[in-house]
Amino acid sequence: LLEAQLSHSDGIRGFFVTYLTAEPQDGSGVAADQEDIPQALQNALGSVKDATDLVSLACMNLIMPTAMTTMHTDPDQQESSRLTASRGKRVLQHLATVHELKVKAYCTAILGAASDESGEPDADLELVNYWKSFFEKWGYKEKQLHDIVAAVKDVLLN
């Protein structure tokens, strides 16, 4: 069931909305807060044949809440965004172990789009332009881009 859900963008979006933003119901915590991704999810993520949508959406699930931690003015919303970003980073780090080339291509493009430098030499220009447009669309400024670069570099280094 999980593999089927992760095989198309609508299913991926729906799954991650629930997984990344879940709140504890009984005080025992949620699966997304465990140090390791649950084995069933690891298996499902690894079984996705074409990981393009999965990796793109996983990147967004790191980028967007990372940016929102400084865009929100309400401390509770900032903390919620921080928690979602932390969960999203853990998912993306796992994806980097099973879909290494795809994650590297997307993360390299994000770094190229978010940095003031001339860009990452190995970045796919089409992906760089996609992420530049994405950042502009959502109104990310210097602080958010700086935080995004730090979060993405952390994924690539771990």
Side-chain angles (χ1 to χ4, degrees):
L1 179 63
L2 189 52
E3 290 176 13
Q5 188 168 12
L6 296 176
S7 68
H8 57 89
S9 64
D10 289 341
I12 296 166
R13 288 177 199 277
F15 173 78
F16 279 133
V17 163
T18 303
Y19 183 77
L20 297 176
T21 63
E23 297 204 15
Q25 299 300 313
D26 59 6
S28 64
V30 296
D33 291 331
Q34 295 174 9
E35 187 173 327
D36 294 321
I37 304 276
Q39 189 62 51
L41 180 55
Q42 287 182 36
N43 294 343
L45 292 169
S47 73
V48 173
K49 302 273 187 273
D50 180 357
T52 301
D53 287 341
L54 179 61
V55 170
S56 177
L57 291 168
C59 287
M60 289 179 198
N61 287 327
L62 172 61
I63 288 169
M64 295 180 86
T66 295
M68 293 310 295
T69 58
T70 56
M71 292 179 84
H72 283 307
T73 55
D74 179 89
D76 291 336
Q77 289 179 328
Q78 288 174 330
E79 178 56 23
S80 178
S81 292
R82 188 206 58 72
L83 180 60
T84 302
S86 174
R87 293 170 173 175
K89 181 165 74 172
R90 205 165 15 261
V91 169
L92 192 57
Q93 285 172 323
H94 174 73
L95 285 173
T97 68
V98 293
H99 298 291
E100 182 180 358
L101 296 177
K102 185 75 68 177
V103 170
K104 184 175 182 193
Y106 273 74
C107 288
T108 301
I110 291 165
L111 293 175
S115 67
D116 289 335
E117 302 164 15
S118 59
E120 295 289 318
D122 297 329
D124 176 315
L125 187 56
E126 186 176 331
L127 280 176
V128 170
N129 289 334
Y130 171 83
W131 291 109
K132 281 184 179 183
S133 295
F134 183 89
F135 298 153
E136 289 172 17
K137 172 185 173 185
W138 292 103
Y140 299 159
K141 305 292 185 219
E142 185 176 338
K143 174 63 176 148
Q144 290 79 39
L145 296 176
H146 178 283
D147 292 345
I148 289 167
V149 166
V152 170
K153 282 184 176 180
D154 194 36
V155 167
L156 289 174
L157 296 174
N158 290 314

